[in-house]
Amino acid sequence: MALVGSAAVLAVSGCSGDTETDGEVELVLETFGTFGYDAVIEEFEEETGYTVDHRVYGEQPDFAEALEQNIAAGSGAGDVVALEEAHIVQMLEQGEAFVDLNDFGAGDMEDQFLDWKWELGQTTDGQLVGLGTDVGSLAICYRWDLFEEAGLPTDREEVGELWPEWEDYLSAGQEFRDADTDAAFVADVGEVYTAITRQAGGEIYFAEADDELIVADNPVVRDAFDFSVELVDEDLSAGLDTFTDDWTAAIQAGTFATMPCPAWMLGQVEDSAGEDGEGLWDVADVPGDGGNWGGSWLAVPEQSENPEAAAELAMFLAGPEGQLNAWEEANNLPSNLEVLESDEVQDTVREYFNDAPTGEIFASVAADLQPYYMGPGHVAVHEDATNPIDEMQRGGISADDAWDQLIEGAERAAR
């Protein structure tokens, strides 16, 4: 299936009605990480005559904290802002701080999206706060040259067959370790913990029925934690905190061999590894049963002075044209069904990742992804859950102390 052209996209945007198009409208778009919007913003500016100042921030937690402060203050937020999955529940509780995108015709786009992605952008009373951008179906990124040095298979299908389950992933890590390559098997066991908890689906830290904290009794959390301990005990971790400068430097230097890779992570890897890393990374199936990690929405704060034009920008970026460009530029897997099922996505091969068929790897399972429940305190609880894991993998505390601190931190964060 080929995609519709930009004219059809703008026909949808035209639902916003009487937005001025005199070329004097200036919009601020605030995102974090890598959204892949450079080319499509230029196209939007040419089509509308608006000017878009795209401000890209670093790590999502810092961006989310600044956004919360600006929302509380009633000023300072962009006209269009990105809301990551771990943050959107908290923002939906402040629905009055955002415009209802239904008022600008965005409700007509519902059939374009994965059902659960659309529903998670709404408040309980039907206000459409966020339009979905991407989803994060899971895979494993690996350095094929380090696998070759360790005597392991390098072909991506054979690599995926090494680890049908997570315990098999650990076994492959033990074999890699014993080969003495001077590289660690995995960058950050906190990433593995996160991937396993997200892969399980359903509830993680909070009960969906009443938002009761269930972290201490949820076997999903305990099992993921115990597996992260096994990886540390087997000396398979580089002990890195993801998205730090040391993590970026390790990607550039090739000092670890594998990492859980939601689709959006490929953009991070490519940005971090640069030209020297081209062709050295590849992508294989994730252990276990697929799973989703991450993804975002675009929202328009009520404080915007140009809400109609801002809604038009959000609809354009979340529409087929915007999502296809984000996929092509940054490997952000579309939540827009039309784009997800298109030949342009399904047939994608990434030269940078050793010609990996990323469209086949990521998009083929995306339609079956299921959401997991995040209570309003998910961000804070997850941070307090992973901090002790990070400290454990650095050797600062024991596994028993890490578990105790995980529980104590989660209870403190949930108050």
Side-chain angles (χ1 to χ4, degrees):
M1 179 181 68
L3 280 173
V4 297
S6 60
V9 177
L10 290 175
V12 174
S13 300
C15 295
S16 59
D18 60 355
T19 298
E20 293 184 9
T21 56
D22 56 9
E24 296 180 358
V25 174
E26 297 181 357
L27 300 171
V28 174
L29 168 65
E30 294 182 332
T31 64
F32 54 87
T34 306
F35 272 67
Y37 282 159
D38 290 346
V40 76
I41 285 175
E42 289 184 11
E43 184 176 339
F44 178 79
E45 290 176 325
E46 291 174 2
E47 296 280 358
T48 62
Y50 304 157
T51 299
V52 178
D53 178 9
H54 186 194
R55 300 174 183 173
V56 181
Y57 297 81
E59 291 191 55
Q60 187 274 334
D62 295 335
F63 170 78
E65 182 178 356
L67 177 61
E68 290 170 20
Q69 293 172 352
N70 290 333
I71 292 296
S75 65
D79 296 287
V80 178
V81 297
L83 305 177
E84 203 264 348
E85 63 158 9
H87 195 216
I88 192 167
V89 174
Q90 187 175 348
M91 291 293 96
L92 289 176
E93 290 193 332
Q94 304 175 56
E96 72 281 357
F98 297 91
V99 305
D100 186 348
L101 292 169
N102 284 311
D103 294 340
F104 301 94
D108 293 341
M109 300 172 70
E110 179 174 358
D111 291 343
Q112 297 181 20
F113 288 86
L114 294 166
D115 291 343
W116 60 269
K117 188 74 177 182
W118 181 264
E119 292 170 4
L120 287 175
Q122 300 183 89
T123 63
T124 54
D125 61 358
Q127 177 188 348
L128 183 58
V129 170
L131 286 173
T133 57
D134 61 315
V135 293
S137 58
L138 279 165
I140 295 286
C141 290
Y142 69 100
R143 282 279 300 247
W144 68 264
D145 57 326
L146 295 177
F147 270 50
E148 183 177 62
E149 186 178 345
L152 292 170
T154 59
D155 176 80
R156 66 183 67 89
E157 291 189 11
E158 294 180 23
V159 170
E161 291 171 356
L162 283 175
W163 48 57
E165 303 297 338
W166 284 103
E167 286 299 328
D168 302 308
Y169 176 78
L170 185 140
S171 297
Q174 292 169 324
E175 189 172 349
F176 182 88
R177 176 203 59 200
D178 293 344
D180 292 328
T181 64
D182 291 331
F185 183 63
V186 61
D188 176 5
V189 299
E191 274 191 319
V192 176
Y193 165 87
T194 301
I196 292 175
T197 54
R198 305 295 173 89
Q199 191 177 50
E203 300 166 335
I204 302 176
Y205 300 127
F206 295 94
E208 187 168 0
D210 55 8
D211 282 330
E212 179 185 0
L213 187 69
I214 59 172
V215 60
D217 300 318
N218 188 351
V220 169
V221 175
R222 184 73 211 206
D223 291 348
F225 173 83
D226 287 344
F227 187 73
S228 70
V229 173
E230 283 190 85
L231 292 173
V232 172
D233 287 346
E234 291 294 330
D235 195 23
L236 302 183
S237 172
L240 299 165
D241 292 346
T242 301
F243 303 129
T244 61
D245 291 343
D246 287 345
W247 177 80
T248 299
I251 291 177
Q252 293 171 341
T255 57
F256 65 86
T258 70
M259 59 191 296
C261 263
W264 50 264
M265 186 68 86
L266 269 62
Q268 301 280 340
V269 172
E270 187 171 345
D271 285 349
S272 298
E275 293 181 0
D276 290 343
E278 183 169 0
L280 297 178
W281 286 92
D282 208 322
V283 186
D285 290 340
V286 69
D289 298 323
N292 180 66
W293 174 4
S296 297
W297 288 257
L298 295 175
V300 177
E302 188 69 39
Q303 60 189 254
S304 171
E305 295 181 356
N306 295 292
E308 292 188 28
E312 191 172 354
L313 174 60
M315 293 160 67
F316 185 80
L317 295 176
E321 198 84 357
Q323 296 214 13
L324 179 59
N325 273 273
W327 166 254
E328 292 176 340
E329 282 195 28
N331 212 76
N332 288 335
L333 189 64
S335 60
N336 185 304
L337 277 169
E338 183 181 1
V339 186
L340 196 58
E341 295 171 352
S342 69
D343 295 340
E344 289 93 330
V345 171
Q346 295 281 340
D347 297 340
T348 296
V349 172
R350 297 285 180 189
E351 182 178 355
Y352 188 92
F353 289 89
N354 198 27
D355 293 327
T358 53
E360 177 184 342
I361 293 171
F362 290 111
S364 61
V365 298
D368 296 326
L369 295 178
Q370 296 297 319
Y372 39 86
Y373 179 70
M374 293 174 291
H378 180 93
V379 175
V381 169
H382 184 70
E383 184 172 353
D384 278 355
T386 52
N387 284 341
I389 295 174
D390 292 339
E391 186 64 18
M392 174 192 66
Q393 72 173 341
R394 289 192 292 266
I397 56 176
S398 68
D400 288 342
D401 287 344
W403 177 252
D404 290 342
Q405 291 183 22
L406 186 158
I407 299 300
E408 292 167 3
E411 291 174 346
R412 184 171 56 249
R415 289 174 190 152

